[in-house]
Amino acid sequence: MKEIDLLEVGGFRAGHAQDREAGTGCTVLLFDGCAPAGVDIRGGGPASRETPLLDPRMDAKGIHALLLSGGSAFGLDAAGGVMRYLEERDIGFDTGVTKVPLVCQSCIFDLAVGRPDVRPDAAMAYRACENASREPLANGCVGGGTGACVGKYRGREFAMKTGIGTWAAQVGEIRVGAVVVLNALGDIFDIDTGKQIAGMRTEDGRGLRSSEQALWEDAGQCRSLFTGNTTIGAVLTNGAFNKAELGKIAAMAHNGYARAIRPVHTTADGDSIYALSVGTQTADLNAVGSLAAYVMGKAISRAVQAAEPMFGLPSASSLD
């Protein structure tokens, strides 16, 4: 297995736009064609748009763009900017009277980090489209990861700043990559070593402790876990798969979440993963699904490593 850049998977462009003062942003993936796609949503509180298109029973053969953003449900308005950008370029599903761009979107809850009254909108998403390229995508506190943080089980005063992360690999002719906006309730662990690298800090703020252990200790209580979470991401492959197969790959990619985030898939998270086919290589579904889980776990680690301290929240680099 060889590490490659995410954009080397091929078949798409990617771009960011953000408001760093307000603590929110968005990241867009623009596909060269109508890319077959699947989705698997495991968290209990997702904010998403047009995901029913990805049900194998639906007629849509693929999508033209994917938007990962902040803003919670308010941020879903931003997809209109992607649609306008694509419509201006005559890209979309041909209805006979006009072409309708097919754009899926998922959002994180970042309203409590910066300004709750500023969210990604159509103008910001349009800028992200204008910024899209085939150059390496910036990681850290940019785009959809601008307002992301983790380790919020005991409150934001013990949380840590994270962001967006990417990672990709090639095995033979098969390429699989992942992009993730890391905004979890739980703690983050390195997928290779199992070491905790971010999450809920100790009372003195200088070390790390276990959110999972704290959750277990509170098992006899009925309490709201809502602190503004959700990890959203996508895996992309040059392997040729249909919607049903990509739904399975997305489901397998959640194993990367489970290996790197603890606890995960709670009612206080909206954890979602898209899977997209952007190539024509013959590939084994199980091999690609297993590799998707690994690259997703590596992307999660990069989202931790690339983050910087912001909004009073330390990052992993500032705790070292």
Side-chain angles (χ1 to χ4, degrees), residues 290-301:
S290 176
L291 187 55
Y294 183 71
V295 299
M296 181 58 75
K298 295 292 283 186
I300 287 171
S301 290

Side-chain angles (χ1 to χ4, degrees), residues 18 24 78-79 109 114 140 143-144 155 162 169 198 220 234 251 253 302 308 312:
Q18 58 276 319
T24 195
F109 187 101
T162 51
R302 183 163 286 169
E308 60 192 278

Side-chain angles (χ1 to χ4, degrees), residues 228-243:
N229 313 296
T230 292
T231 297
I232 54 177
V235 292
L236 304 105
T237 178
N238 68 339
F241 297 102
N242 62 35
K243 282 200 293 185

Side-chain angles (χ1 to χ4, degrees), residues 35-294:
V39 68
D40 192 284
I41 300 173
R42 302 270 177 103
S48 56
R49 177 188 187 277
E50 291 276 51
T51 52
L53 289 175
L54 309 187
D55 186 321
R57 297 170 295 178
M58 303 302 146
D59 185 58
K61 302 300 186 289
I63 60 175
H64 301 101
L66 174 65
L67 186 63
L68 304 175
S69 82
S72 188
F74 293 110
L76 294 171
D77 285 346
V82 181
M83 292 190 69
R84 179 165 65 89
Y85 178 89
L86 294 174
E87 182 184 28
E88 290 172 353
R89 288 153 181 80
D90 199 34
I91 296 171
F93 174 74
D94 192 348
T95 66
V97 293
T98 189
K99 290 185 179 179
V100 179
L102 303 181
V103 180
C104 285
Q105 180 183 3
S106 284
C107 305
I108 67 166
F109 187 101
D110 56 5
L111 305 180
V113 173
R115 288 180 53 182
D117 61 335
V118 177
R119 306 108 184 196
D121 58 12
M124 180 184 286
Y126 192 94
R127 290 199 303 274
C129 293
E130 291 181 314
N131 293 335
S133 74
R134 300 184 197 277
E135 297 300 313
L137 190 67
N139 285 211
C141 303
V142 294
T146 303
C149 55
V150 298
K152 292 166 272 188
Y153 182 69
R154 293 293 190 209
R156 288 185 177 274
E157 60 268 33
F158 301 112
M160 288 181 62
K161 191 73 185 71
T162 51
I164 193 168
T166 64
W167 210 84
Q170 180 169 349
V171 181
E173 297 301 315
I174 304 303
R175 303 184 192 110
V176 182
V179 55
V180 65
V181 179
L182 181 59
N183 189 57
L185 172 75
D187 305 323
I188 311 304
F189 296 80
D190 182 272
I191 197 170
D192 291 320
T193 67
K195 177 184 177 182
Q196 185 174 349
I197 56 175
M200 186 169 67
R201 290 177 291 134
T202 53
E203 292 287 341
D204 64 10
R206 293 181 290 190
L208 299 174
R209 51 180 166 161
S210 172
S211 296
E212 199 167 50
Q213 185 64 42
L215 179 64
W216 295 342
E217 291 170 356
D218 294 341
Q221 305 176 31
C222 291
R223 56 191 298 267
S224 171
L225 296 183
F226 183 80
T227 49
N229 313 296
T230 292
T231 297
I232 54 177
V235 292
L236 304 105
T237 178
N238 68 339
F241 297 102
N242 62 35
K243 282 200 293 185
E245 293 167 330
L246 288 161
K248 178 60 176 177
I249 290 171
M252 294 178 72
H254 271 284
N255 293 332
Y257 278 18
R259 291 164 66 184
I261 306 170
R262 302 179 210 161
V264 71
H265 302 146
T266 73
T267 57
D269 293 283
D271 302 326
S272 306
I273 297 179
Y274 296 84
L276 300 114
S277 174
V278 290
T280 59
Q281 288 289 329
T282 299
D284 177 72
L285 183 153
N286 293 298
V288 171
S290 176
L291 187 55
Y294 183 71

